[in-house]
Structure formats: structure tokens, C-alpha cells
């Protein structure tokens, strides 16, 4: 590790005790990570390794940091989103001896400075949330490649970027797509995003969803969760899609499916969850209702074309925290939540701890896998090993007191035989 390391950069160290209490509360809902932490304390599978974790600095992330340290690692934490950092959690982590670089509301320059300060620790492993650290390493910080064994990625958006690097034959180390684990995307993306996004919208606006028309852009696992929860609150849900299979699935699930140019005319609330840019664009703002609300549940703040909206507006009014109204020349107003950033983390607390329990268990075990095998793996994007997925699901069931059946020897033999038929 080089000698220019900055120990930490946070907002207010005096918030540490408040942060500790909230971290402990989240831990109550994270039994899988607790079980792994107990195992790690005995086995120390990450002994001596430095891990840069570019993550949402929340109570759940703090519990991951403690588990990694129990495994023998030195975790270094930086924020993966300028608006998601919980300053009291950052303070608690620093007070407990971690290197943390995160301030809620930091600008883009500070955000990337924090990433570079984290990289000054010369990590062996990278836990990424959106692939900003990995792309920074490949673009600007190739000096740290000599120590990096591999990385893990938490998000759909980040996995897309990693696969693009691999496709261009530029990826310099193996990366595990944690987002694609069954115990991650089926639960975190669907149930976590669904609940936390609706929670954030209600906190920001105090809107009654019953009877409103909610337009969900994208019917991946995040979009499915948002649509499900919005319908559960009594909303009329419209889905927009570019994938015919997902669009058909949305129809079969009972939703109305329209192109965005048509949905824009009738929607009261719009939520993007596509991972793509300008899903809501100038042409859509031109036909939206007066008072339409737009927000984003995708990783980056590019899904709503705010630059176009700002050019169109003659006035901008902040009515409540994270609620900004853009007044157009014809008098109509478009309301934007959380500056177009991840609404569930900017306005609310992100996913419930019980779903992050499985996501971060995947991260922890993927790090152990890379520590043990990463040096032998060619540079590519890999799935989470199936045995890790099954282990996490079983630990979660055990923590819930739920038992399941096991195959008999006869059944196991049948499933691998070609001789049985009609």
C-alpha cells in the first residue's frame, strides 16, 4: 500500500453512536450474514486481503463490512451513489476503524476523488455497485492492476458494463456477476426494489396511489417488483418495454402495455427501471399531464432526460426535499423526484435488510471464491457458482425455521437416468 493514503473523508464523526444503533437494528434482519460472520471468525478465509467496496453506504452495507473484517480482510468503503450515503453509518464505520470515503450529497468530482482515494489502498478484491471502480481502474488507475485478483458486481447496469469490457477483450481480471445470482435478483431486485421504491415515492410526495395511473418503464426484475407493489396500492399500472418477451409477460401478468409516447399522455406517476438512457425524453415531456411525477429506480441518473427538461422549463421550484417542479412555457408542470437518481436510496433507506442479507451473503462468499481461485481464472465475467446460491437459500430457510423435502436415492437416480420413459 502506498504512502499517500487518506484515512477517511466523511461528513460528521459525532454521528457514530446513532449509526451504530441503526446498524445493530438492521443486523436483526440479516441472519445469513450473521451466520457467515461467525464462520469467517473461525476460518479467516480472507486473511490479509484488502477489499475496496464501492457500495451504498447504508446500515446493511455496514454489516457486510463487519463480516468481511471477521474473515480477515481490510475493507475500504466508498459510496456508489452521491445521494445514498447515510452519514451516521459512515461515522460509525470510521469510529470502528474502517477507511470510509463517503458524504451524502457529494458532487461528481468528490465522488471520483473518493474512488481514487479508496484505490490508493491497492486492493486485492473489488466489490462494485455499477462498475465505476472497475472502469476507473481500467481507464485511469492501471497502477493497481498488479494487486487486483478480481471483482464482484451488485447491479444489472454494472454487469452490462463488465460484459462490454470483456467483449472488447479489455477486462483485466475475473469478475463475478453477483447481480445474476438467483438469491440476489429474484429477491433483492423484485421484492427489495419494489417495496423501497414505493416507500420512497410516498415519503417524498405523500401521494395516494389508489386510482392513479403508474407507468413503469422496464419489466425486468426491478420493474416487476415496482409494478406489483404499485398495483397492490390500488394503482392502475402501465408497463413500457422494448423486449417483446418481457412485454408479453407483463400482459399475461395483467398489466396494460403501451409505448412510452402513448403512456406519457395518461400517466400520473412514472418510474424508470431499465438501465438505459433517456427512457423518458423531450417528446414525452411535451405531452405529459400537468403535475405528472417522474422518478428513477435504475442505477444511473440518465434514464430521465433532465437536461432536455431543464432547457424546456421556464421556472424550477423546490416544494419539498427531493421534490422539484419544472414549469413549462404552457403552464404545465413536471415534478422530478431525487434529481433523477435512485429514488429508493436518495429519499428512503433502500432495500429492507432481510433481502440485502442474501445479496451481501453472495458478495461475501464470492469474495472468498475469488480469494481461493481468482488467480487461476482467465479474465472474464462469471456467474455466482450454483453451490453458493443454494447454500445461501438454505441458510435463509433455516433462519426462517422452514424445512423442505430432500430427494431420495431412488429419485436422484431417476433424474439422471435416460432409461425410464412412458
Amino acid at each position: 500500500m502506498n504512502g499517500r493514503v487518506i484515512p477517511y473523508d466523511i461528513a460528521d464523526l459525532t454521528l457514530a453512536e446513532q449509526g451504530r444503533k441503526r446498524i445493530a437494528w438492521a443486523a436483526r434482519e440479516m441472519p445469513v450474514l450473521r451466520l457467515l460472520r461467525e464462520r469467517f471468525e473461525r476460518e479467516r478465509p480472507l486473511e490479509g486481503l484488502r477489499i475496496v467496496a464501492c457500495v451504498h453506504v447504508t446500515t446493511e452495507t455496514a454489516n457486510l463490512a463487519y463480516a468481511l473484517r471477521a474473515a480477515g480482510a481490510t475493507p475500504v468503503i466508498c459510496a456508489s451513489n452521491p445521494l445514498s450515503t447515510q452519514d451516521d453509518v459512515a461515522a460509525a464505520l470510521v469510529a470502528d476503524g474502517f477507511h470510509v470515503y463517503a458524504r451524502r450529497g457529494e458532487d461528481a468530482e468528490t465522488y471520483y476523488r473518493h474512488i481514487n482515494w479508496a484505490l490508493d489502498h491497492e486492493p486485492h478484491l473489488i466489490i462494485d455497485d455499477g462498475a465505476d471502480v472497475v472502469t476507473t481502474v481500467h481507464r485511469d488507475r492501471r497502477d493497481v492492476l498488479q494487486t487486483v485478483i478480481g471483482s464482484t458486481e451488485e447491479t444489472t447496469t454494472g454487469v452490462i458494463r463488465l460484459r462490454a469490457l470483456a467483449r472488447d477483450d479489455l477486462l483485466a481480471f475475473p469478475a463475478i456477476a453477483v447481480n445474476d445470482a438467483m438469491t440476489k435478483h429474484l429477491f433483492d431486485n423484485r421484492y427489495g426494489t419494489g417495496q423501497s421504491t414505493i416507500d420512497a415515492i410516498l415519503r417524498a410526495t405523500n401521494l395516494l396511489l389508489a386510482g392513479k395511473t403508474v407507468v413503469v418503464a422496464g419489466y425486468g426484475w426491478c420493474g416487476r417488483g415496482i409494478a406489483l407493489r404499485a398495483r397492490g396500492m390500488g394503482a392502475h399500472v402501465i408497463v413500457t418495454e422494448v423486449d417483446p418477451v418481457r412485454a408479453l409477460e407483463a400482459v399475461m401478468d395483467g398489466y396494460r402495455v403501451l409505448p412510452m409516447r402513448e403512456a406519457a399522455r395518461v400517466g400520473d406517476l412514472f418510474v424508470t427501471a431499465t438501465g438505459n438512457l433517456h427512457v423518458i425524453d423531450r417528446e414525452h415531456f411535451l405531452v405529459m399531464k400537468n403535475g405528472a411525477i417522474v422518478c428513477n429506480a435504475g442505477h444511473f441518473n440518465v434514464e430521465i432526460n433532465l437536461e432536455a427538461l431543464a432547457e424546456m422549463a421556464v421556472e424550477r421550484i423546490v416544494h419539498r426535499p427531493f421534490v422539484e417542479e419544472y414549469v413549462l412555457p404552457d403552464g404545465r408542470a413536471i415534478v422530478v423526484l431525487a434529481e433523477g437518481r435512485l429514488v429508493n436510496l436518495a429519499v428512503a433507506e433502500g432495500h429492507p435488510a432481510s433481502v440485502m442479507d442474501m445479496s451481501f451473503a453472495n458478495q461475501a462468499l464470492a469474495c472468498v471464491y475469488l480469494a481461493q481461485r481468482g488467480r487461476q481464472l482467465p479474465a472474464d465475467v462469471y456467474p455466482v457458482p450454483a453451490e453458493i446460491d443454494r447454500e445461501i437459500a438454505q441458510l435463509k430457510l433455516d433462519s426462517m425455521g422452514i424445512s423442505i423435502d430432500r430427494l431420495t436415492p431412488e429419485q436422484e437416480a431417476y433424474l439422471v437416468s435416460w432409461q425410464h420413459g412412458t
Side-chain angles (χ1 to χ4, degrees):
M1 189 168 62
N2 64 55
R4 64 186 180 187
V5 164
I6 307 297
Y8 64 86
D9 184 39
I10 62 171
D12 187 353
L13 192 56
T14 66
L15 298 174
E17 189 55 34
Q18 173 185 319
R20 285 194 183 106
K21 291 176 180 177
R22 295 181 58 242
I23 291 166
W25 178 258
R28 293 158 59 104
E29 293 292 316
M30 304 184 80
V32 177
L33 207 56
R34 183 178 66 249
L35 291 170
L36 290 180
R37 181 175 174 179
E38 292 169 358
R39 183 201 303 176
F40 289 167
E41 287 172 344
R42 298 190 303 271
E43 300 175 359
R44 306 285 285 182
L46 299 174
E47 191 70 57
L49 297 183
R50 296 182 295 276
I51 302 177
V52 163
C54 183
V55 287
H56 301 290
V57 183
T58 64
T59 56
E60 296 80 15
T61 297
N63 282 289
L64 171 62
Y66 291 123
L68 294 173
R69 186 161 69 179
T74 301
V76 178
I77 314 297
C78 60
S80 65
N81 186 294
L83 292 182
S84 66
T85 296
Q86 297 169 0
D87 287 326
D88 58 340
V89 171
L93 287 170
V94 169
D96 287 348
F98 292 91
H99 298 284
V100 182
Y101 309 97
R103 293 170 174 263
R104 186 174 180 85
E106 62 191 35
D107 58 24
E109 181 181 353
T110 304
Y111 175 79
Y112 280 101
R113 182 167 65 247
H114 283 166
I115 286 177
N116 278 284
W117 283 351
L119 287 171
D120 287 343
H121 289 264
E122 298 175 352
H124 299 100
L125 298 170
I126 294 168
I127 295 174
D128 222 345
D129 191 299
D132 277 346
V133 173
V134 169
T135 54
T136 298
V137 167
H138 284 77
R139 185 176 54 237
D140 305 318
R141 292 298 305 271
R142 299 188 69 84
D143 57 294
V144 304
L145 284 175
Q146 60 186 346
T147 62
V148 176
I149 300 169
S151 70
T152 67
E153 174 54 51
E154 178 77 5
T155 67
T156 305
T157 300
V159 171
I160 290 169
R161 299 176 84 187
L162 289 174
R163 290 194 172 123
L165 271 171
R167 186 175 60 249
D168 293 343
D169 201 26
L170 295 175
L171 187 63
F173 44 74
I176 294 182
V178 165
N179 177 76
D180 294 351
M182 299 290 280
T183 47
K184 197 281 184 184
H185 71 258
L186 287 179
F187 299 91
D188 177 319
N189 293 18
R190 175 168 44 175
Y191 299 113
T193 302
Q195 178 170 309
S196 61
T197 298
I198 298 301
D199 177 30
I201 292 166
L202 298 182
R203 290 193 196 200
T205 65
N206 196 27
L207 186 72
L208 178 67
L209 289 187
K212 296 290 193 301
T213 298
V214 175
V215 178
V216 178
Y219 203 64
W221 287 109
C222 292
R224 288 177 177 94
I226 296 164
L228 179 67
R229 297 307 179 210
R231 180 163 64 184
M233 297 288 287
H236 306 291
V237 178
I238 295 172
V239 170
T240 71
E241 251 299 345
V242 296
D243 185 310
V245 175
R246 288 182 175 177
L248 182 59
E249 184 179 7
V251 171
M252 296 298 190
D253 285 345
Y255 300 109
R256 188 180 178 192
V257 174
L258 293 174
M260 181 60 79
R261 64 179 178 274
E262 296 180 27
R265 298 179 181 276
V266 297
D268 299 301
L269 170 66
F270 297 79
V271 188
T272 57
T274 70
N276 213 328
L277 82 166
H278 298 175
V279 178
I280 298 179
D281 211 344
R282 183 185 298 268
E283 64 172 308
H284 308 126
F285 297 130
L286 287 171
V287 299
M288 282 183 179
K289 294 179 181 179
N290 179 38
I293 299 171
V294 298
C295 64
N296 172 47
H299 185 79
F300 292 121
N301 61 331
V302 296
E303 302 207 22
I304 302 166
N305 190 347
L306 292 181
E307 292 81 6
L309 184 58
E311 290 173 2
M312 296 167 66
V314 295
E315 186 179 10
R316 290 164 64 174
I317 305 166
V318 176
H319 289 285
R320 297 160 62 104
F322 301 109
V323 179
E324 189 170 17
E325 184 175 78
Y326 289 70
V327 181
L328 304 182
D330 62 4
R332 287 181 303 115
I334 308 295
V335 177
V336 177
L337 306 185
E339 302 172 13
R341 296 192 180 273
L342 268 171
V343 69
N344 57 336
L345 277 152
V347 181
E349 296 183 50
H351 295 350
S354 59
V355 294
M356 294 310 299
D357 186 30
M358 288 184 285
S359 297
F360 284 160
N362 273 290
Q363 290 284 13
L365 291 176
C367 283
V368 172
Y369 182 86
L370 285 171
Q372 294 170 345
R373 307 185 191 184
R375 291 180 175 88
Q376 288 76 50
L377 292 174
D380 205 347
V381 182
Y382 294 88
V384 172
E387 60 268 23
I388 289 179
D389 233 347
R390 288 194 296 268
E391 178 183 4
I392 290 169
Q394 187 61 59
L395 287 171
K396 193 68 171 181
L397 287 170
D398 292 345
S399 74
M400 299 167 74
I402 296 173
S403 299
I404 61 175
D405 289 323
R406 296 185 182 277
L407 294 173
T408 66
E410 180 185 30
Q411 289 170 329
E412 289 178 347
Y414 178 82
L415 290 176
V416 296
S417 172
W418 59 270
Q419 295 171 325
H420 299 283
T422 304

